[in-house]
Amino acid sequence: MNEHRKRVSCNVESCAYNCDGSSCNADKIDVSRTCASPDCCDETECATFKPRD
């Protein structure tokens, strides 16, 4: 696992990349805004999210 991703906390247990209920084991993490307007960039979402099977 990439050393930097060890610092990424994740509490979304329904995500396939969630490891041990607290960290992310995805190869790459994409975070994006929830809306297109630059005025509402205070909310983000993990675009890497993939539901567990």
Side-chain angles (χ1 to χ4, degrees), residues 3-40:
E3 199 62 34
H4 293 288
R5 274 193 291 288
K6 288 182 181 179
R7 294 183 239 160
V8 175
S9 176
C10 177
N11 63 359
V12 181
E13 293 182 13
S14 61
C15 183
Y17 300 113
N18 184 294
C19 179
D20 300 326
S22 62
S23 61
C24 180
N25 65 3
D27 291 334
K28 177 176 124 177
I29 300 169
D30 291 316
V31 177
S32 59
R33 292 184 291 200
T34 58
C35 64
S37 171
D39 296 334
C40 67

